[in-house]
Amino acid sequence: MRVKVISRSTDEFTRERSQDLQRVFRNFDPNLRPQEKAVEYVRALNAAKLEKIFARPFVGAMDGHIDAVSCMAKNPNHLKGIFSGSMDGDVRLWDLATRRTVRQFPGHQGAVRGLTVSTDGQILVSCGTDCTLRLWKVPVDTIMESDDGSDNSSQPLAVHVWKNAFWGVDHQWDGDLFATAGAQVDIWNHNRSQPVNSFEWGKDTVTSIRFNPGEPNLLATSASDRSISIYDLRLSTPARKVIMRTKTNSIAWNPMEPMNFTAANDDGSCYSYDVRKLNEAKCVHKDHVSSVMDIDYSPTGREFVTGSYDRSVRIFQYNGGHSREMYHTKRMQRVFCVKFSCDASYIISGSDDTNLRLWKAKASEQLGVILPREKKKHEYLEAVKNRYKHLSEIKRIIRHRHLPKPIYKATKQIREITDSERRKEERRKAHSAPGSIQNKPLRTRRIVKEVE
């Protein structure tokens, strides 16, 4: 007689040490799990709810300025240092880890309008409405680490007095030149007291300026005549210009796709352009209810952050029409400048209430050291949420944001105005001769003309 027995070796399921994980044997045959999709849906629903529960984006505020924060700059060679300038002429270097002032740079007699750091992280350039341009030596990392606050002020390496007020400054991503915006665009060298080149297109003030991250000789500017201009340092004249219906306050280039840039506009929207085709916006990013004052791209190039006059900070996908996240506090006033940290984990905002605020880029992200098992669990829940995000219940939970009452009312009013204009346009078209009225797409509606 033959007898069949089930036998297994103890070596296959016995742990060698008490700290080892218990081995689990699984059969992945889908026929054994008829409820698998239902179980995953419940996990996705719970993950979406837990994300809302653990959403605590505000990390802390940095207090020290005595007037509104007007501009900020990152140090490309130091992860946790950020520079800020205020309306009273004060320039400070902050340590984001301890949220305290490391160094002050006194000297400006008026509002500081622009800050930028050289490619090697050694020189800080500041400019303002007092018509002066100041070059400072950036303190070394050892000073950043020390707690000695006895002498925390610096003297400028050079002071250049110019005939016009400055409204912005930016340094080449790779090179020794930096550009200032004011009555005209001036190109400067670290070793000269006069501009090495100047560009002028019209008589209006240039309000913001940004160098291209991929092509060092290309820069974009916005001016008070509602124009966005592209300049090439290798040419003697400006290259191209596009005029919009409302003024552009700031510009940011996509660091991963250097042919694209996004403009923050006075009409509460941001417009992404391809520099090779300026007669049409690639994408229109809407959600703010007031002027967008500043914009900055994440180092990954997948999203950007905006700060607005409506006292809120929003995060957009680079190709998304609406924001994925919105940050606000009761005390935060009009936001004048925003920056992504160099590791894309944090956002820094500077506002009218003299404070810099530190936010998490992902509101529910866990800070500190994460164990490998925790990391795997987070990744699994993220994947499950992404798989079922189109279903109504999960979509509603993920999209929901609590808005301050003024923003909620303004959004409702803007929606009513937009719907009214759309109905009016449809009626006008219905009572006109066929083909006499052409609908302009949203991406070209706000553009007046392109000049070359």
Side-chain angles (χ1 to χ4, degrees):
M1 183 175 67
R2 182 179 295 176
V3 178
K4 286 187 179 179
V5 295
I6 297 174
S7 66
R8 58 178 179 171
S9 171
T10 54
D11 297 337
E12 292 180 359
F13 60 88
T14 307
R15 294 184 293 179
E16 291 183 4
R17 300 178 206 83
S18 60
Q19 289 86 5
D20 290 353
L21 297 177
Q22 193 79 42
R23 290 192 64 185
V24 180
F25 297 91
R26 289 192 178 94
N27 188 338
F28 291 101
D29 183 6
N31 295 322
L32 298 174
R33 293 180 180 80
Q35 294 292 317
E36 186 177 18
K37 286 192 175 177
V39 170
E40 276 196 343
Y41 172 74
V42 172
R43 284 176 184 166
L45 194 62
N46 290 339
K49 291 176 181 176
L50 284 171
E51 187 183 33
K52 291 293 172 194
I53 291 170
F54 290 116
R56 297 285 184 272
F58 183 63
V59 178
M62 292 175 279
D63 191 12
H65 286 294
I66 57 172
D67 208 339
V69 181
S70 54
C71 55
M72 289 192 294
K74 293 180 284 191
N75 188 341
N77 277 23
H78 200 266
L79 189 62
K80 61 176 186 171
I82 190 158
F83 298 91
S84 66
S86 72
M87 290 291 192
D88 65 335
D90 187 22
V91 180
R92 289 173 181 247
L93 170 60
W94 300 86
D95 183 0
L96 293 180
T98 58
R99 300 202 293 276
R100 63 181 180 87
T101 302
V102 175
R103 183 62 63 94
Q104 286 182 266
F105 304 90
H108 281 285
Q109 300 300 313
V112 181
R113 284 293 179 181
L115 290 173
T116 187
V117 182
S118 61
T119 316
D120 56 5
Q122 302 291 321
I123 303 291
L124 169 69
V125 182
S126 65
C127 65
T129 53
D130 58 353
C131 305
T132 61
L133 188 72
R134 295 172 187 266
L135 275 65
W136 315 81
K137 182 167 177 57
V138 176
V140 293
D141 293 352
T142 52
I143 294 178
M144 291 285 291
E145 302 298 337
S146 70
D147 292 326
D148 182 24
S150 56
D151 181 24
N152 65 346
S153 61
S154 291
Q155 296 301 317
L157 296 174
V159 180
H160 305 319
V161 181
W162 196 231
K163 50 193 174 187
N164 303 310
F166 295 108
W167 283 87
V169 63
D170 194 42
H171 201 285
Q172 277 184 321
W173 287 61
D174 185 17
D176 297 328
L177 302 177
F178 60 92
T180 56
Q184 59 189 10
V185 176
D186 294 316
I187 312 300
W188 302 74
N189 193 309
H190 288 217
N191 305 317
R192 298 206 179 184
S193 60
Q194 297 287 325
V196 295
N197 203 351
S198 292
F199 295 97
E200 194 172 5
W201 194 347
K203 296 296 179 187
D204 287 274
T205 303
V206 181
T207 53
S208 73
I209 189 162
R210 285 289 179 273
F211 270 102
N212 188 294
E215 175 52 66
N217 294 308
L218 205 65
L219 58 92
T221 64
S222 66
S224 56
D225 63 348
R226 314 188 311 277
S227 67
I228 300 171
S229 306
I230 306 295
Y231 294 84
D232 193 334
L233 303 188
R234 295 162 295 191
L235 303 176
S236 56
T237 56
R240 302 170 76 188
K241 178 196 272 191
V242 59
I243 298 174
M244 301 188 69
R245 288 192 182 180
T246 43
K247 187 166 72 84
T248 297
N249 292 314
S250 185
I251 293 172
W253 293 91
N254 189 332
M256 292 291 116
E257 297 173 357
M259 74 291 289
N260 300 331
F261 67 88
T262 305
N265 207 272
D266 253 356
D267 64 358
S269 300
C270 298
Y271 298 87
S272 291
Y273 288 96
D274 189 327
V275 76
R276 301 162 296 187
K277 190 183 178 187
L278 289 174
N279 60 352
E280 180 182 48
K282 285 187 71 176
C283 188
V284 181
H285 314 272
K286 301 187 296 182
D287 265 348
H288 282 295
V289 296
S290 190
S291 298
V292 186
M293 302 304 293
D294 198 16
I295 182 171
D296 188 45
Y297 260 96
S298 163
T300 61
R302 310 304 292 176
E303 54 190 20
F304 60 86
V305 61
T306 58
S308 171
Y309 216 67
D310 63 12
R311 307 196 292 269
S312 69
V313 174
R314 288 184 185 264
I315 305 171
F316 292 84
Q317 299 288 341
Y318 78 105
N319 57 358
H322 293 278
S323 60
R324 75 156 177 86
E325 197 62 80
M326 177 196 164
Y327 297 153
H328 60 89
T329 66
K330 286 184 177 179
R331 293 185 178 185
M332 185 164 72
Q333 298 302 309
R334 300 168 297 193
V335 182
F336 288 139
C337 48
V338 286
K339 281 281 184 281
F340 251 106
S341 65
C342 292
D343 61 351
S345 298
Y346 297 96
I347 288 164
I348 305 101
S349 67
S351 52
D352 205 10
D353 57 333
T354 75
N355 279 337
L356 275 79
R357 287 180 172 81
L358 189 63
W359 313 82
K360 290 190 282 190
K362 291 180 182 171
S364 58
E365 188 178 27
Q366 186 178 338
L367 295 180
V369 179
I370 300 177
L371 298 173
R373 292 179 72 187
E374 285 182 306
K375 189 177 179 183
K376 278 186 179 179
K377 183 177 172 62
H378 291 328
E379 288 171 354
Y380 170 71
L381 293 177
E382 197 65 39
V384 168
K385 267 192 306 181
N386 201 41
R387 184 175 181 182
Y388 294 98
K389 66 181 179 184
H390 61 282
L391 298 176
S392 58
E393 186 69 12
I394 293 175
K395 186 198 282 187
R396 183 186 66 80
I397 293 169
I398 290 175
R399 284 184 58 194
H400 176 74
R401 293 288 179 277
H402 173 73
L403 298 177
K405 192 176 281 187
I407 294 179
Y408 179 79
K409 287 184 175 178
T411 306
K412 191 176 177 182
Q413 191 177 14
I414 288 170
R415 194 182 299 120
E416 288 172 358
I417 292 169
T418 308
D419 290 345
S420 173
E421 287 176 351
R422 181 181 50 79
R423 286 195 304 270
K424 186 175 181 181
E425 196 64 34
E426 285 172 358
R427 287 167 186 162
R428 184 184 285 127
K429 191 174 181 180
H431 291 85
S432 303
S436 61
I437 294 181
Q438 298 292 332
N439 275 351
K440 287 189 76 175
L442 183 65
R443 291 179 297 173
T444 59
R445 206 176 292 163
R446 306 293 298 177
I447 298 172
V448 177
K449 64 176 179 176
E450 185 187 3
V451 186
E452 291 197 24

